[in-house]
Amino acid sequence: MSQMPYSEASLRALIDTFGSPMIVLRHQEVWLANPAFLQLMACPREQVEGRPIQELINPEGRSRIALRHEQILAGRLPLSSHTFRRRVTDAEGRTHEVAVYTQELKLEDGQQGLLVNLLELPDSAPAVAVAGRLVETSARLVGARSEADVRQVAVEGLASIGLRARFLRWEEMDSAPAEGRSPPVDTARAAEALGEGRAIFGGLDTTEASHVYLPLGDMRHGVLWVEGPGIDPSHGSALSLFSKVVGTALSEARVQAERVRGQWELQTLAEVARFVAQPVPPTTEAFLERLAGLLSADAALLILQEEPGASLTLTAQVGLPEAQSGEAALALGSVLGELAMKAEHGRLSGQAEARALSEGSGGRFGTGAAVRITRGGQLCGTLQLLRSPGRPFQEADLRLLGTMVELLVTLLEQHRLRAESARQLSETRLLLDLARTTAGVLDAGGILDVAADFLVRLLDVSNCHILLYDEPGKVLRGAAGSATHREFIRGLAIPLEGSGLAARVARERLPVVIEDVDKAPGSYISELVRRFETKALLGLPLTSRDELIGVVVMDDSRGPRGFGPAFIELAEATCGQIALSIANARLYESLWGSYAELAAARAEMVKRERLAALGELSAIVAHEVRNPLGVIFNAVTSLRRLLKVEGDAAMLLDILSEESDRLNRMVADLLDFTRPREPILQPEDMGRVLMDSVEAARVQSGPDAQSVTFKVEVEQALSPVRMDRRLIRQAFINVFVNAIHAMPQGGLVTVLARREQHEGRDWLRTDVTDQGMGIPSELIHRVFEPFFTTKAQGTGLGLAVVRRILDEHGGEISVASTPGRSTTFTIRLPLLPPPSP
């Protein structure tokens, strides 16, 4: 045609002269149409001109032809000079097959147009032959038993008429080839075919359609892609019908496969349920091994959280080499684990996960299936199965795996209950052992040591310290601890008003938990935490009948630790048993103290009764004896004065005088011992009292004292002592006289007076040490008994008088002796407080 630009009028005049249908296209719209074309379409001019060309074309080829025209007008696709076949539908719904020839035109406005010449064709015989072959293939599909058989029969039937076919599977809104080579780049037409439920022809680089997308019913079956020579719209109806037959056959095969699969799954579930329900539950590894065998998996992983909020750990696995245990196995499990935790029904591996599995296992695994595990409504982990590359899991496998998880949770719960029962039995036995041990120990200190070691074993802690409450001092004093730090703890004192954990527990009388000491600075005594390398702390009160006994502090030096409610409940129960044992031991000690006090009171009462009787007897004896003694003394004196006695008579008078004097002293000692006195206490200088006592003892001992030397040492700046000077002087005289008599051959008596702390009080201690022969050990406990003496001339009342004088002053006397070497008498008197400056 002419290369001169055409106007609308010239073009209309040109096409109206032809008897065959002709149209002019501009912008993919029918710009002009001649009467023959209007007659073909059975439409008036106003319903044709200005209408998009794709609306006039049969639906199967609309998208392909519209895209082709767009690329031709844009200059991206050359215009073919060949005649090609099209199918158009008129206003009455009749389909006309036409031969089409297209030629480019230049328009006056500078735009491009297309002159389209159409020639209506009769029905072709090849379409009938194709339909016949497709019917034969459809008949063969009836005998297909599986989806694979259906696909094979369909592909072979299409190949028999010179067509190639591929089944495309729909996955995540993108079509991908299930087998064979990849389809052309216009696979978006597959989505169109599936969405509209009809055949869609494709192929842009040829004048005729090169392939067609046939929907197979739904996304599960996907699309049948058919290509080959002779594909054109005339085959559309037959191919569409064939695709419906194929889709139906696939559905029937799928139903049959699902029925068989369902029966197998029921049998499998029953088998696994019997396996789990054994009297002794199988191990988790045995369950995973059974599950992997049933689903033809190469490996199985169980990844769980041991505690809520804790990190995931590999609890059990089968099929992994030793090189992939621990962190490596956990990393491999994280490929699908994180995705499965977010997916309610589990997750199958995709291409990205397949690559990650292969890289993480060195090519050993390439596909996987994972489902999440919930216990008590809380997500706690995943169960995963892995296979070698090229063996993907199916959705049915994932569903079965999700059901198996319920049996796994049941198995895990059985293990938990058995472990809990074993733990409770062990704890009960330990508590029984504690009760037996503490019941047999009546000493509070012994109970605490046993309890500290017991708590370390029972609660699996690093250290346990027990502090008892000292109410007068308002402090917690260390009483016992686990073996490593026992001695250090016994010297510990914590004020009740302190800021540490133990003081807080004592004040609030409630458990206090510090799971991580690094996150709770200031709530504990940092020096102790550093010493024990503590990472976590738990403090519990020891109470009995609402009375605070003390505090138990436990720590863990291995790392931060959560002390759960069950742990604290067990610890509180144990501490309650310990507190009860301590209270019972204290009651026992108090009872024994009461018995001792009662025995002492009885002894004192007997002693007083004896002394009273002795005093009464002594008064009578003294009255009856001293009168004759007075007569004897007078008679002896008169005889000495009236007679000049010499020789044996003088000796007899001397003996009579000495024995009368000794008898008089005995009566005096007896009266001193039995006479009730109330000492008159006044501050006295102890040094002077001692020196006076030494001189008096020398005089009283007579010639025996000449060979004895006294060495007296008194601490300087010694505070005055409240005493009855006369009585204390008499006590020291008696002790010194005993020391002189213990050394008939002479010797040294050392007297040492000094201040001393004894039983929490200030005392004046005086040690009197001689160099005599000592006191036999079997007699030393009797030296303070009245009338006990080892001396031929003694009365046995001297030391008894000393003890009575010291008792009246609130003091005490004790004796220590080394037979053959020395004897030391220790006298203690309470000191006055030092004078205020």
Side-chain angles (χ1 to χ4, degrees):
M1 295 189 68
S2 173
Q3 297 301 313
M4 296 296 293
Y6 285 94
S7 64
E8 180 181 355
S10 62
L11 276 176
R12 187 178 294 282
L14 175 63
I15 65 176
D16 283 349
T17 61
F18 288 93
S20 61
M22 297 185 70
I23 56 175
V24 178
L25 301 179
R26 187 177 66 171
H27 302 302
Q28 296 195 45
E29 292 184 354
V30 178
W31 188 32
L32 302 174
N34 68 357
F37 185 81
L38 299 176
Q39 183 179 359
L40 175 68
M41 300 302 296
C43 291
R45 187 179 298 276
E46 58 271 12
Q47 293 183 6
V48 174
E49 293 182 352
R51 188 175 178 183
I53 184 60
Q54 57 263 34
E55 293 185 4
L56 304 179
I57 301 171
N58 205 49
E60 291 84 352
R62 282 179 182 174
S63 59
R64 185 182 73 87
I65 293 173
L67 183 58
R68 178 178 174 80
H69 284 179
E70 180 181 349
Q71 294 187 6
I72 290 174
L73 293 176
R76 293 193 296 271
L77 189 68
L79 183 64
S80 175
S81 60
H82 298 287
T83 301
F84 50 91
R85 300 160 67 94
R86 292 284 183 269
R87 301 180 71 193
V88 296
T89 303
D90 61 21
E92 297 177 355
R94 294 189 300 272
T95 301
H96 304 274
E97 189 168 358
V98 295
V100 179
Y101 176 79
T102 306
Q103 184 177 357
E104 286 188 277
L105 297 174
K106 290 185 178 180
L107 304 180
E108 281 185 336
D109 55 5
Q111 297 185 10
Q112 292 290 328
L114 293 177
L115 175 63
V116 181
N117 188 10
L118 297 88
L119 177 64
E120 188 171 7
L121 301 174
D123 292 337
S124 59
V128 177
V130 168
R133 289 293 182 89
L134 294 179
V135 170
E136 293 176 3
T137 303
S138 299
R140 292 176 56 200
L141 290 173
V142 176
R145 298 298 182 185
S146 66
E147 293 185 66
D149 291 343
V150 170
R151 292 190 179 95
Q152 183 178 356
V153 170
V155 170
E156 291 175 352
L158 290 171
S160 67
I161 57 177
L163 300 177
R164 295 178 297 278
R166 299 288 185 272
F167 286 86
L168 305 181
R169 183 179 62 250
W170 193 258
E171 181 179 338
E172 296 182 358
M173 301 306 296
D174 290 320
S175 58
E179 54 189 30
R181 65 184 181 86
S182 300
V185 296
D186 66 343
T187 52
R189 306 283 79 77
E192 185 179 349
L194 195 60
E196 298 186 10
R198 57 184 177 81
I200 299 295
F201 288 88
L204 303 177
D205 55 346
T206 59
T207 57
E208 299 292 339
S210 62
H211 51 271
V212 63
Y213 297 97
L214 302 173
L216 296 177
D218 56 25
M219 290 185 181
R220 291 187 304 169
H221 298 144
V223 174
L224 178 62
W225 171 53
V226 182
E227 68 170 353
I231 287 291
D232 60 52
S234 64
H235 301 154
S237 299
L239 289 173
S240 296
L241 180 60
F242 178 71
S243 68
K244 288 181 172 58
V245 174
V246 173
T248 301
L250 287 173
S251 297
E252 291 179 352
R254 184 183 295 272
V255 169
Q256 177 67 14
E258 289 178 351
R259 185 181 65 81
V260 174
R261 171 80 184 201
Q263 292 177 347
W264 175 80
E265 287 183 356
L266 287 175
Q267 294 173 355
T268 300
L269 287 172
E271 178 184 347
V272 175
R274 287 192 296 270
F275 180 67
V276 170
Q278 297 179 74
V280 178
T283 64
T284 309
E285 287 77 9
F287 178 89
L288 294 182
E289 188 173 359
R290 177 66 63 91
L291 183 60
L294 291 172
L295 292 177
S296 302
D298 297 317
L301 309 178
L302 176 60
I303 299 175
L304 292 175
Q305 288 176 331
E306 297 298 334
E307 297 289 341
S311 58
L312 292 171
T313 58
L314 181 66
T315 303
Q317 62 87 15
V318 294
L320 291 183
E322 293 184 2
Q324 286 183 323
S325 59
E327 294 296 329
L330 194 60
L332 189 66
S334 65
V335 173
L336 284 174
E338 296 178 359
L339 299 173
M341 291 285 280
K342 301 175 183 178
E344 181 178 357
H345 301 293
R347 176 73 180 228
L348 295 176
S349 59
Q351 294 181 357
E353 292 80 30
R355 286 194 300 270
L357 288 173
S358 180
E359 293 173 0
S361 62
R364 180 182 176 88
F365 306 115
T367 60
V371 293
R372 64 186 186 181
I373 300 174
T374 59
R375 298 172 73 177
Q378 297 293 326
L379 286 175
C380 63
T382 60
L383 173 63
Q384 303 183 33
L385 298 181
L386 303 178
R387 285 179 181 168
S388 57
R391 299 172 55 221
F393 288 94
Q394 306 299 323
E395 290 291 340
D397 298 325
L398 192 64
R399 289 194 302 271
L400 179 59
L401 188 60
T403 305
M404 291 291 188
V405 163
E406 301 299 326
L407 294 175
L408 175 60
V409 170
T410 301
L411 179 62
L412 294 175
E413 186 65 14
Q414 288 179 341
H415 284 303
R416 187 192 68 79
L417 291 175
R418 289 175 68 87
E420 180 69 16
S421 298
R423 183 187 64 81
Q424 290 179 354
L425 178 60
S426 175
E427 291 174 355
T428 302
R429 287 175 176 171
L430 286 173
L431 289 172
L432 182 59
D433 290 342
L434 176 65
R436 288 172 177 170
T437 303
T438 54
V441 178
L442 297 175
D443 173 44
I447 291 174
L448 295 178
D449 288 338
V450 171
D453 293 335
F454 171 80
L455 285 171
V456 170
R457 296 198 320 272
L458 175 65
L459 301 176
D460 187 27
V461 294
S462 301
N463 298 292
C464 176
H465 316 308
I466 300 177
L467 302 99
L468 297 182
Y469 178 47
D470 180 1
E471 187 172 4
K474 300 296 181 183
V475 295
L476 295 168
R477 299 191 183 277
S482 46
T484 309
H485 306 285
R486 185 163 291 164
E487 294 304 319
F488 171 78
I489 289 299
R490 284 176 176 162
L492 191 63
I494 299 176
L496 194 65
E497 298 303 320
S499 59
L501 177 137
R504 179 182 168 191
V505 171
R507 292 194 302 270
E508 299 178 1
R509 301 192 184 183
L510 292 172
V512 175
V513 176
I514 301 178
E515 297 182 352
D516 188 348
V517 298
D518 293 336
K519 297 180 180 179
S523 57
Y524 50 82
I525 300 176
S526 56
E527 293 80 3
L528 298 180
V529 167
R530 285 195 298 270
R531 180 183 182 92
F532 301 138
E533 298 180 352
T534 301
K535 305 299 182 185
L537 277 168
L538 171 63
L540 297 163
L542 287 174
T543 58
S544 178
R545 300 180 183 89
D546 296 329
E547 178 185 355
L548 179 64
I549 294 178
V551 171
V552 175
V553 178
M554 290 170 279
D555 68 53
D556 202 317
S557 59
R558 294 166 292 189
R561 177 176 178 177
F563 300 101
F567 182 95
I568 295 177
E569 183 178 353
L570 175 61
E572 285 183 317
T574 309
C575 289
Q577 176 68 34
I578 294 171
L580 181 60
S581 300
I582 295 172
N584 289 341
R586 287 181 173 179
L587 288 174
Y588 181 80
E589 293 174 358
S590 176
L591 180 61
W592 272 108
S594 298
Y595 284 156
E597 291 177 2
L598 180 60
R602 289 184 61 187
E604 183 66 21
M605 182 176 66
V606 171
K607 178 181 177 182
R608 289 181 181 276
E609 291 293 334
R610 290 175 61 190
L611 289 175
L614 185 60
E616 185 177 353
L617 177 62
S618 299
I620 296 173
V621 170
H623 178 73
E624 297 298 330
V625 171
R626 277 191 166 176
N627 287 334
L629 281 177
V631 173
I632 293 173
F633 281 135
N634 291 333
V636 170
T637 302
S638 296
L639 287 174
R640 288 183 185 278
R641 187 175 62 250
L642 296 175
L643 301 175
K644 292 183 180 182
V645 183
E646 295 178 356
D648 291 340
M651 183 185 65
L652 291 174
L653 284 176
D654 289 340
I655 292 173
L656 180 62
S657 177
E658 288 176 5
E659 292 301 319
S660 298
D661 186 58
R662 189 169 72 85
L663 184 59
N664 186 54
R665 288 199 307 273
M666 184 180 294
V667 172
D669 288 344
L670 184 61
L671 289 174
D672 284 343
F673 179 72
T674 59
R675 183 185 300 118
R677 293 180 296 252
E678 185 68 28
I680 301 173
L681 303 179
Q682 291 183 346
E684 299 288 348
D685 182 3
M686 192 62 185
R688 295 183 60 184
V689 172
L690 289 175
M691 296 306 297
D692 290 348
S693 301
V694 169
E695 294 302 323
R698 283 183 176 277
V699 172
Q700 185 171 324
S701 298
D704 294 341
Q706 300 304 316
S707 59
V708 175
T709 303
F710 279 83
K711 180 182 178 181
V712 181
E713 296 182 4
V714 180
E715 182 180 314
Q716 295 182 354
L718 195 63
S719 300
V721 183
R722 289 177 59 82
M723 66 175 74
D724 187 315
R725 178 185 179 88
R726 180 181 63 83
L727 295 178
I728 295 299
R729 178 176 177 274
Q730 181 62 50
F732 277 110
I733 290 173
N734 290 356
V735 174
F736 293 159
V737 168
N738 266 9
I740 292 171
H741 290 169
M743 298 184 296
Q745 305 302 322
L748 175 66
V749 177
T750 303
V751 182
L752 177 62
R754 65 191 183 277
R755 184 192 307 270
E756 179 191 52
Q757 277 283 333
H758 178 63
E759 296 182 352
R761 296 176 60 187
D762 286 334
W763 298 81
L764 172 64
R765 171 175 174 165
T766 305
D767 293 328
V768 180
T769 305
D770 61 47
Q771 295 178 340
M773 297 304 295
I775 304 171
S777 57
E778 65 273 12
L779 300 177
I780 197 168
H781 66 283
R782 299 188 60 191
V783 296
F784 299 109
E785 292 181 4
F787 306 110
F788 173 79
T789 182
T790 59
K791 295 183 292 186
Q793 303 297 323
T795 64
L797 291 173
L799 292 179
V801 170
V802 173
R803 167 167 279 184
R804 183 170 182 185
I805 291 172
L806 290 175
D807 288 344
E808 292 168 350
H809 281 73
E812 58 184 42
I813 184 172
S814 60
V815 61
S817 181
T818 303
R821 294 183 59 186
S822 66
T823 300
T824 299
F825 284 89
T826 299
I827 297 171
R828 291 184 176 90
L829 290 170
L831 279 174
L832 281 177
S836 301

